[in-house]
Amino acid sequence: RRHKNINFSDRGMNLEQMINESNKYYRTKEIAVVHKKPTPVQIVKVDYPKRSRAVIKEAYFRQESTTDYNGVYKGYYLDFEAKETKNKTNFPLKNFHEHQIIHLAECLKQKGICFTIIGFTSLKRYFVTPASAIIKAWWTKDKSSLTLKEVEDWSIEIKSGFQPTLPYLKAIDSFISDRKIHDDK
Amino acid sequence: RRHKNINFSDRGMNLEQMINESNKYYRTKEIAVVHKKPTPVQIVKVDYPKRSRAVIKEAYFRQESTTDYNGVYKGYYLDFEAKETKNKTNFPLKNFHEHQIIHLAECLKQKGICFTIIGFTSLKRYFVTPASAIIKAWWTKDKSSLTLKEVEDWSIEIKSGFQPTLPYLKAIDSFISDRKIHDDK
Ligand SMILES: [Mg+2]
Ligand SMILES: [Mg+2]
């Protein structure tokens, strides 16, 4: 009640920070275990100074072969990529890399729950979109972006809140129900 | 038949290389998608030389908060840690770090399929052990190692082979059957 007029979606966090904070909440509450994968780095040279911890002196960024996040929720494998745009009307598909699209498709084949979280940061609107829709659009010739309308139609919108900051598992619950209905047919 | 007398387990690979190669095989054959997580690194200084890729000039190793591997197989979430020992009679429990034990327990609570792959490299024997057994032993006071006999009793042994090098999903199939029997009760 005290928090009524505070806009919790406006704490200066970017999408990744919102997701990381939500994952921390979910993990602490034993609701789900989802981690961000570390940036892959090829380490070439390491110094081991006396009485002090190892320092990496030469390393290079490696090509990522997966998405940003994966984890487990109610026995389901979750895999997703988070992307944000300042654009107010379109989400440019070039935000996704081919290896991410391929990875999502591979995980879908293994019956993972695969999706993206798209943030229209200027609008403060956040969408959980099934990977299948993104994969299809990505491979569509001459299609360079999704319109906001398409994202609205294909996704479940998530309102940012207090705890968790971005309650994206609500959307996943609805994906799971859909899947159960589908599996029971 | 032609391969009869060749020992494929003896190609100078360590356990991690055997698992990575097996994962590549499983992924290529669309059997499972399992990746090794990158080593977490805190990047402090990066140079961007002209006409050449970025060089990380100062970075530090961060504490890992998860296990080495996770992925998806038949819709199930897999999570595991691989450890090898040259010891022929015991597996020292200090090979596991507390954060790995905690992470496995957290994923178990979410109904992930959690396990370890223990390699007795001097014996060329490899075991898939349910995480529950490892967690229990790890928290047992005054218990510093598992005897080979305990590992044998609690695990499914995997014979290294040609393709995949370490067919550990065979053990997982049997964990999944056990779980189904349990769930049906
Ligand atoms: Mg991302
Ligand atoms: Mg390891």
Side-chain angles (χ1 to χ4, degrees), chain B residues 83-93 117-129 133-134 137 143-159:
Chain B
K83 298 286 186 200
E84 56 188 348
T85 182
K86 284 175 183 163
N87 197 308
K88 290 176 184 176
T89 56
N90 283 271
F91 177 79
L93 282 166
I117 301 183
I118 295 176
F120 284 87
T121 48
S122 306
L123 309 174
K124 295 203 168 73
R125 294 183 68 185
Y126 304 93
F127 296 91
V128 177
T129 314
I134 299 292
K143 187 164 185 65
S144 67
S145 69
L146 306 179
T147 63
L148 176 58
K149 175 77 169 61
E150 283 173 325
V151 175
E152 285 172 339
D153 287 350
W154 300 343
S155 313
I156 295 176
E157 186 166 1
I158 297 296
K159 300 285 176 196

Side-chain angles (χ1 to χ4, degrees), chain A residues 16 68 81-83 100:
Chain A
E16 200 166 290
D68 281 345
E81 181 64 34
K83 298 286 187 201
Q100 293 166 339

Side-chain angles (χ1 to χ4, degrees), chain A residues 16 36 67-69 80-84 95 100:
Chain A
E16 200 166 290
K36 185 172 191 314
T67 45
D68 281 345
Y69 295 93
F80 62 101
E81 181 64 34
K83 298 286 187 201
E84 57 188 346
N95 277 303
Q100 293 166 339

Side-chain angles (χ1 to χ4, degrees), chain B residues 9-182:
Chain B
S9 63
D10 196 8
R11 286 182 286 159
M13 280 187 280
N14 65 26
L15 178 60
E16 201 166 289
Q17 289 169 323
M18 292 172 79
I19 293 171
N20 293 346
E21 210 180 77
S22 305
N23 286 341
K24 202 173 167 183
Y25 173 85
Y26 285 138
R27 202 162 67 84
T28 309
K29 295 286 177 186
E30 299 187 352
I31 295 168
V33 179
V34 179
H35 285 275
K36 184 172 192 313
K37 278 173 238 169
T39 306
V41 156
Q42 185 199 350
I43 297 164
V44 175
K45 192 172 161 238
V46 184
D47 270 15
Y48 298 91
K50 271 183 194 165
R51 268 180 279 269
S52 153
R53 63 180 173 153
V55 190
I56 298 164
K57 287 290 194 181
E58 185 186 350
Y60 299 90
F61 294 101
R62 277 194 294 133
Q63 168 78 357
E64 304 193 43
S65 50
T66 63
T67 46
D68 280 345
Y69 294 93
N70 75 356
V72 58
Y73 173 54
K74 295 181 180 172
Y76 292 96
Y77 173 81
L78 305 187
D79 199 297
F80 62 101
E81 182 64 34
K83 298 286 186 200
E84 56 188 348
T85 182
K86 284 175 183 163
N87 197 308
K88 290 176 184 176
T89 56
N90 283 271
F91 177 79
L93 282 166
K94 70 170 178 339
N95 277 304
F96 289 103
H97 306 294
E98 184 166 343
H99 72 268
Q100 293 165 339
I101 297 295
I102 290 170
H103 175 75
L104 287 169
E106 285 178 351
C107 292
L108 264 186
K109 262 191 190 143
Q110 297 304 322
K111 299 189 180 150
I113 295 184
C114 305
F115 54 98
T116 62
I117 301 183
I118 295 176
F120 284 87
T121 48
S122 306
L123 309 174
K124 295 203 168 73
R125 294 183 68 185
Y126 304 93
F127 296 91
V128 177
T129 314
S132 54
I134 299 292
I135 294 165
K136 201 179 160 192
W138 202 86
W139 291 114
T140 301
K141 217 173 159 274
D142 300 330
K143 187 164 185 65
S144 67
S145 69
L146 306 179
T147 63
L148 176 58
K149 175 77 169 61
E150 283 173 325
V151 175
E152 285 172 339
D153 287 350
W154 300 343
S155 313
I156 295 176
E157 186 166 1
I158 297 296
K159 300 285 176 196
S160 65
F162 181 44
Q163 276 188 325
T165 316
L166 203 66
Y168 69 88
L169 288 181
K170 281 186 193 173
I172 305 316
D173 283 330
S174 117
F175 292 164
I176 292 172
S177 312
D178 287 355
R179 174 183 289 203
K180 277 183 184 154
I181 291 162
H182 189 82

Side-chain angles (χ1 to χ4, degrees), chain A residues 22-169:
Chain A
S22 305
N23 287 342
K24 201 173 167 183
Y25 173 86
Y26 286 137
R27 203 162 67 84
T28 309
K29 295 286 177 184
E30 300 188 352
I31 295 168
V33 179
V34 179
H35 286 275
K36 185 172 191 314
K37 279 172 237 171
T39 306
V41 156
Q42 186 201 347
I43 296 163
V44 175
K45 193 173 160 235
V46 184
D47 271 14
Y48 298 92
K50 272 182 194 164
R51 269 180 278 267
S52 153
R53 63 179 173 153
V55 190
I56 298 164
K57 286 290 193 182
E58 185 187 350
Y60 299 91
F61 294 101
R62 277 193 295 133
Q63 169 77 359
E64 304 193 43
S65 50
T66 63
T67 45
D68 281 345
Y69 295 93
N70 75 357
V72 58
Y73 173 54
K74 294 181 180 171
Y76 293 96
Y77 173 81
L78 304 187
D79 198 297
F80 62 101
E81 181 64 34
K83 298 286 187 201
E84 57 188 346
T85 182
K86 283 174 184 163
N87 197 307
K88 289 176 184 176
T89 56
N90 284 271
F91 177 79
L93 283 166
K94 69 170 181 334
N95 277 303
F96 289 103
H97 305 295
E98 185 168 341
H99 72 268
Q100 293 166 339
I101 297 295
I102 290 170
H103 176 75
L104 287 169
E106 284 178 353
C107 292
L108 264 186
K109 264 192 189 141
Q110 296 305 322
K111 300 190 178 148
I113 294 184
C114 305
F115 56 97
T116 62
I117 301 183
I118 295 176
F120 284 88
T121 48
S122 306
L123 309 173
K124 295 201 167 75
R125 293 183 68 186
Y126 304 93
F127 296 92
V128 178
T129 314
S132 54
I134 299 293
I135 293 165
K136 201 179 160 191
W138 203 86
W139 292 113
T140 301
K141 218 172 156 275
D142 300 329
K143 189 164 183 65
S144 67
S145 69
L146 305 180
T147 63
L148 177 58
K149 175 76 168 62
E150 283 173 325
V151 175
E152 285 172 340
D153 288 351
W154 299 344
S155 312
I156 295 175
E157 186 166 1
I158 298 297
K159 301 285 176 196
S160 65
F162 181 44
Q163 276 187 324
T165 317
L166 203 65
Y168 69 89
L169 288 181

